Amino acid sequence: MAPRANWKGFLKVAELVCPVALYTAASTNERISFHMLNRATGHRLRREFVDSETGKPVERDDQVKGYETGKDDYIVLDPEEVAAAVPESDKTMDVGAFIACDQIDDLFFDKPYYLAPADRHGEEVFTLIREGMKSRKVAALAETVLFRRVRTVLIRPHGDGLIAATLNYNYEVRSAEETFSEIPDIKLKGEMLELAEHIIKTKSGRFDPKTFDDRYDAALAEVVKAKIEGRKIKPQKPKAEGKVIDLMEALRQSAGRDSKTAKPGTKKSTKKTASTRKPAAGRRKAG
């Protein structure tokens, strides 16, 4: 069965326009999922909104959205007022600029979608846009209304079609500087860095998503199967904890070396001699 389009509209580049359809590229529908049940009756549970003070259920017609302006102080917005903020859609994905692919920071990627021609009349224009982007090695930034919000999407060639990824807004992406500010400035030198590079080189591979194994989902499926068949469910054994050893020794073992096979003239290093540490900016000594 052909996939169902999430959205249909028009891709517009200057005066070039073609009808396109947007399809979900990644989905979690195949994951194991559960329903909440009443243990006593086996019946499914349903959620209710209850008043936080009275504890009584609130009927759907009496449920409204509110914006908190202070502790327990809210501005109430009626459905019509919320709907007034929803932009009107002209079903156009308007390309504003083309950018080099190496300018893209994947921190801003939100959700990927496949973009394909919606009918045979637009296939020639679609192919022209796709091939033009391939030859120039560029991606397109476009704006459209998707799912009741104005969204910026990044469009890239992908096989015979295009990938349109919705982008996070700048205010939604947290600052890397704040997260990394406490990491100390450590200068590595000598055998330590050489061993790390050797380990990385020997473990080089290729990106192949077919090899990714969702062990948790597979384990849940096995638990469900065992339950259906009346078999005893065996808990997973925890992995043995690794021994805490000297960093240089860990690197040598990972690289298939040991202290005896270290490079000639290289002393057995300790953490102090293997690297020099500088305290993180702004960090004070105790006392």
Side-chain angles (χ1 to χ4, degrees), residues 9-42:
F10 298 91
L11 178 62
K12 185 175 185 295
V13 180
E15 299 305 314
L16 297 175
V17 179
C18 68
V20 291
L22 204 66
Y23 301 89
T24 299
S27 172
T28 59
N29 290 342
E30 299 303 315
R31 291 181 184 173
I32 293 288
S33 60
F34 299 103
H35 297 292
M36 297 302 295
L37 307 176
N38 182 337
R39 184 188 293 273
T41 65

Side-chain angles (χ1 to χ4, degrees), residues 182-199:
E182 293 299 314
I183 298 177
D185 183 13
I186 301 174
K187 301 297 182 184
L188 300 175
K189 61 181 181 180
E191 187 187 6
M192 178 177 283
L193 185 57
E194 180 198 330
L195 286 170
E197 291 172 347
H198 174 74
I199 294 165

Side-chain angles (χ1 to χ4, degrees), residues 17-244:
V17 179
C18 68
V20 291
L22 204 66
Y23 301 89
T24 299
S27 172
T28 59
N29 290 342
E30 299 303 315
R31 291 181 184 173
I32 293 288
S33 60
F34 299 103
H35 297 292
M36 297 302 295
L37 307 176
N38 182 337
R39 184 188 293 273
T41 65
H43 300 155
R44 280 187 62 176
L45 303 180
R46 61 182 177 86
R47 293 179 178 177
E48 284 187 324
F49 284 100
V50 299
D51 190 293
S52 60
E53 295 295 325
T54 67
K56 294 181 180 180
V58 179
E59 296 298 327
R60 186 176 182 85
D61 289 343
D62 292 324
Q63 297 171 13
V64 293
K65 296 182 184 293
Y67 180 82
E68 188 173 13
T69 57
K71 184 173 175 55
D72 298 327
D73 190 15
Y74 302 91
I75 292 176
V76 174
L77 294 172
D78 292 324
E80 297 78 15
E81 294 170 322
V82 175
V86 177
E88 289 187 11
S89 174
D90 61 359
K91 294 290 186 179
T92 301
M93 195 173 284
D94 194 3
V95 173
F98 291 98
I99 61 173
C101 290
D102 59 7
Q103 292 182 16
I104 302 164
D105 188 338
D106 57 9
L107 275 173
F108 288 86
F109 285 8
D110 179 29
K111 292 181 180 179
Y113 296 90
Y114 294 126
L115 195 64
D119 59 46
R120 299 189 65 84
H121 297 94
E123 289 176 351
E124 187 175 15
V125 176
F126 183 91
T127 302
L128 180 62
I129 295 170
R130 183 196 67 209
E131 292 305 306
M133 291 171 65
K134 279 184 180 180
S135 65
R136 297 292 297 174
K137 293 183 173 60
V138 294
L141 286 171
E143 193 173 89
T144 190
V145 176
L146 288 177
F147 319 123
R148 297 169 64 87
R149 291 192 68 185
V150 175
R151 301 301 304 258
T152 299
V153 295
L154 182 77
I155 302 171
R156 294 166 290 162
H158 185 80
D160 292 333
L162 298 170
I163 295 287
T166 53
L167 300 181
N168 293 314
Y169 291 105
N170 192 53
Y171 71 85
E172 295 175 315
V173 177
R174 294 181 176 178
S175 167
E177 287 76 10
E178 291 178 8
T179 305
F180 300 151
S181 62
E182 293 299 314
I183 298 177
D185 183 13
I186 301 174
K187 301 297 182 184
L188 300 175
K189 61 181 181 180
E191 187 187 6
M192 178 177 283
L193 185 57
E194 180 198 330
L195 286 170
E197 291 172 347
H198 174 74
I199 294 165
I200 292 169
K201 183 179 179 180
T202 57
K203 295 187 75 68
S204 295
R206 294 179 65 85
F207 178 75
D208 183 4
K210 293 178 183 177
T211 63
F212 300 167
D213 184 16
D214 189 346
R215 296 182 182 180
Y216 176 68
D217 205 64
L220 282 179
E222 180 57 31
V223 167
V224 171
K225 183 180 178 183
K227 193 82 173 180
I228 293 171
E229 296 174 353
R231 292 188 282 113
K232 185 177 180 181
I233 297 171
K234 297 178 181 179
Q236 294 282 332
K237 292 181 180 179
K239 289 185 179 179
E241 293 184 7
K243 295 179 181 178
V244 178

